[in-house]
Amino acid sequence: MVSIVGILYLQGCCVPHEKILKKLGVETRRIIYANDLDGCSALILPGGESTTMLKHITPKLEDAILTFAKANPVWGICAGSILMAKHVKNPSQKSLGLMDVTILRNGYGAQNESFIRKIPMKLKENDTFEGIFIRAPQIESIGDDVKVLAFDDEVPVFIEQDHLMATTFHPELAKDDAIHRYFLSKIES
Amino acid sequence: MNEERRKLNIGLAEMLCGGVIMDVTNVEEAKIAEEAGAVSVMALERIPSDIRKMGGVCRMSAPEMIMEIKEAVSIPVMAKCRIGHFAEAQILQELGIDFIDESEVLTPADEEHHINKWDFEAPFVCGACNLGEALRRVGEGAAMIRTKGEAGTGNVVEGVRHMRNLQRHIKALTVMSQDELYAEAKNLQAPIHLVQYVAEHGKLPVPNFAAGGVATPADASLLMQLGAETVFVGSGIFRSQNPAKTAKACVDAVAHYNEPVKLLEVSRGIGEAMPSISMEELKEQEKLAGRGW
């Protein structure tokens, strides 16, 4: 069966994900309503503004995402990682609570404090990855079930919990599809 | 601004895609905008429709007013400086504003030069009526372009004209040969490497948002369907009969811009739109879109 990767398409940076996945030969689908998830094998929660996305996530769509995430890979990027965290601070807000994580919104500051740094990580082919942090959230603490795949200055920036993963930086803006390929590998396993 | 900073600044513009950026003049309005789901707010002392009424020189807003708004919301905050007024831009950058709008809505400070935006670390958004103007601004370092429309009129006709114009010209470039592109760069008065980028990719090198005269959710949807990636709504929110409802309806209309069923639903029961002006009522010198060169 051909895998379809859903991208939550309510607001944010979606098109670059579509382009990368297309290049990798994977079909994508824009997820706006709960039934859009039918037949998808994985879901991306993109970067953008988490407060705006929360306004658009209806109770029905929320239920569908929570059910989907029990058995399928979900990847949250920046704002998407805020949606995935169990606890959100600065200020505190609602979330989907999929991963056992406490996260600070705008944890590094405003746009002046946005930065790009080489992130060391232990995925197969790449030793480092271009970490593009834009008004990024900061992971404050993680539960025992959460594994860190990359740190920046001792702060976790790429984490996974079974089939769920989150990055506080933007792999879709880098010229490297290693993290997308890693995410796709979760579909098969 | 080096290439790395430029990537971060264009990246921030990408994060705002599919959202609504709202003009706000105080903390209360900023909170209403955030609560309605705005992706960003533009902090300014007077919204365009009031600027039109009051006349005189319109400058950058007071720093303390911008700071108050910045502290009241968690979404990115933008602020405007006058065209060519790089000292105002320096002040806004020092304030730590997330995006600087070098805006024709304020009175231009320089009638020949725009700000050299490469001198700054902060991202800039600039207005444009056509492709040549858009690419000149990108050449100067803008990280986001917004079509100008005619701010403060509640009349979307100029916004539509500018977006149509831009999209038509972008499409035309994609079918031109290399030798034609050199000639076209001359016609457009735009840097050749940016003209080549547009021809190759069929889009601007930075996100392309729309502004000017948006008064209803339907207006916002129209501009999105014409190719805008996000919409600025200025006077349209806080000069409408019911700002909170109008704000939320515009946010929904942008997220669901190509779903008529949803557009009908959000257009119901939001009350009267802002007072509006037809283009014929405006004298040539009252038009803001002609500012910028």
Side-chain angles (χ1 to χ4, degrees):
Chain A
M1 202 179 85
V2 185
S3 300
I4 301 172
V5 175
I7 301 170
L8 190 69
Y9 223 92
L10 299 169
Q11 189 277 318
C13 185
C14 303
V15 175
H17 287 293
E18 291 178 324
K19 284 187 181 159
I20 293 169
L21 292 169
K22 193 178 170 194
K23 256 191 191 163
L24 292 170
V26 178
E27 195 181 327
T28 59
R29 185 187 296 163
R30 300 181 172 191
I31 308 297
I32 296 170
Y33 297 103
N35 57 10
D36 293 333
L37 275 170
D38 296 346
C40 286
S41 313
L43 174 65
I44 289 177
L45 309 177
E49 280 306 317
S50 60
T51 50
T52 304
M53 292 181 201
L54 283 171
K55 303 288 171 201
H56 292 306
I57 298 176
T58 58
K60 201 172 165 194
L61 179 58
E62 182 177 343
D63 283 348
I65 295 173
L66 295 179
T67 309
F68 183 85
K70 280 182 189 156
N72 300 285
V74 181
W75 173 18
I77 296 114
C78 193
S81 69
I82 297 170
L83 294 183
M84 291 189 78
K86 200 179 240 172
H87 305 287
V88 183
K89 290 185 180 173
N90 189 35
S92 73
Q93 67 184 32
K94 192 179 166 319
S95 67
L96 299 172
L98 293 169
M99 294 179 83
D100 191 6
V101 170
T102 301
I103 201 162
L104 287 176
R105 286 188 62 210
N106 301 323
Y108 299 86
Q111 178 64 2
N112 272 355
E113 286 74 49
S114 291
F115 61 93
I116 298 181
R117 261 203 293 268
K118 280 208 154 69
I119 304 298
M121 68 177 85
K122 295 185 177 72
L123 296 184
K124 271 180 200 161
E125 298 138 67
N126 292 48
D127 291 323
T128 61
F129 195 91
E130 184 188 24
I132 303 175
F133 293 82
I134 300 174
R135 286 174 52 91
Q138 196 171 55
I139 294 171
E140 190 183 70
S141 64
I142 53 173
D144 294 341
D145 296 340
V146 178
K147 193 170 130 196
V148 180
L149 296 173
F151 287 98
D152 172 64
D153 201 15
E154 295 176 12
V155 176
V157 293
F158 179 12
I159 53 174
E160 71 179 351
Q161 183 178 337
D162 302 324
H163 53 286
L164 308 172
M165 65 183 232
T167 54
T168 55
F169 56 98
H170 292 278
E172 78 281 13
L173 299 180
K175 284 195 179 83
D176 187 337
D177 57 15
I179 297 179
H180 282 82
R181 281 186 283 122
Y182 180 73
F183 180 59
L184 293 176
S185 74
K186 288 178 175 289
I187 296 176
E188 287 111 50
S189 58
Chain B
M1 176 172 65
N2 56 20
E3 278 307 317
E4 210 167 76
R5 185 41 64 173
R6 182 168 167 74
K7 196 184 257 190
L8 287 166
N9 287 344
I10 294 174
L12 177 57
E14 303 246 22
M15 296 311 140
L16 303 176
C17 283
V20 177
I21 301 161
M22 300 183 193
D23 281 359
V24 297
T25 59
N26 56 46
V27 167
E28 192 196 350
E29 288 180 358
K31 285 189 169 157
I32 292 173
E34 186 176 44
E35 180 54 37
V39 286
S40 174
V41 290
M42 176 78 70
L44 73 177
E45 262 156 5
R46 280 180 275 159
I47 56 175
S49 66
D50 292 346
I51 290 172
R52 285 190 179 283
K53 279 184 219 149
M54 291 175 77
V57 172
C58 194
R59 310 180 181 93
M60 176 187 82
S61 299
E64 55 273 22
M65 174 266 177
I66 299 171
M67 278 314 287
E68 265 179 32
I69 289 176
K70 198 167 173 279
E71 278 157 22
V73 295
S74 62
I75 53 180
V77 177
M78 305 188 178
K80 291 181 193 288
C81 71
R82 286 179 263 176
I83 290 175
H85 206 316
F86 52 83
E88 283 187 348
Q90 286 162 353
I91 292 168
L92 292 176
Q93 174 166 277
E94 232 16 71
L95 256 178
I97 212 75
D98 293 298
F99 239 103
I100 301 173
D101 185 0
E102 187 185 16
S103 176
E104 72 282 358
V105 168
L106 307 186
T107 313
D110 189 326
E111 298 193 330
E112 209 172 333
H113 309 93
H114 280 254
I115 295 170
N116 173 10
K117 292 162 272 286
W118 294 99
D119 277 349
F120 289 78
E121 299 294 306
F124 278 76
V125 50
C126 288
C129 300
N130 54 57
L131 183 57
E133 197 179 1
L135 294 182
R136 286 195 291 282
R137 298 295 87 81
V138 175
E140 294 156 3
M144 180 205 297
I145 291 296
R146 53 169 177 77
T147 45
K148 286 179 186 170
E150 194 55 42
T153 60
N155 187 341
V156 80
V157 68
E158 295 301 308
V160 168
R161 191 191 318 281
H162 300 156
M163 186 54 79
R164 286 258 188 208
N165 193 341
L166 196 68
Q167 296 295 350
R168 181 166 54 233
H169 216 140
I170 289 172
K171 269 184 232 157
L173 287 194
T174 61
V175 293
M176 286 184 190
S177 61
Q178 274 302 318
D179 44 351
E180 286 174 310
L181 290 178
Y182 287 110
E184 196 56 23
K186 188 186 80 178
N187 292 337
L188 288 167
Q189 300 180 34
I192 179 67
H193 71 283
L194 297 177
V195 172
Q196 287 165 330
Y197 179 97
V198 173
E200 189 188 335
H201 296 89
K203 66 182 285 300
L204 293 180
V206 301
N208 179 12
F209 294 6
V214 178
T216 66
D219 289 348
S221 157
L222 177 64
L223 289 167
M224 289 295 287
Q225 294 193 52
L226 289 173
E229 291 172 270
T230 279
V231 179
F232 284 84
V233 188
S235 322
I237 307 278
F238 290 100
R239 285 297 170 272
S240 69
Q241 194 183 15
N242 192 329
K245 278 189 184 169
T246 305
K248 184 168 187 321
C250 287
V251 168
D252 287 340
V254 166
H256 302 279
Y257 68 91
N258 55 3
E259 300 171 47
V261 173
K262 192 78 188 174
L263 291 174
L264 167 62
E265 184 189 317
V266 305
S267 298
R268 281 184 203 268
I270 52 175
E272 290 232 12
M274 66 178 283
S276 58
I277 308 173
S278 75
M279 286 308 128
E280 292 73 25
E281 293 168 62
L282 281 182
K283 297 195 193 90
E284 227 20 70
Q285 68 267 26
E286 291 174 331
K287 291 185 180 165
L288 305 176
R291 297 168 167 180
W293 11 92

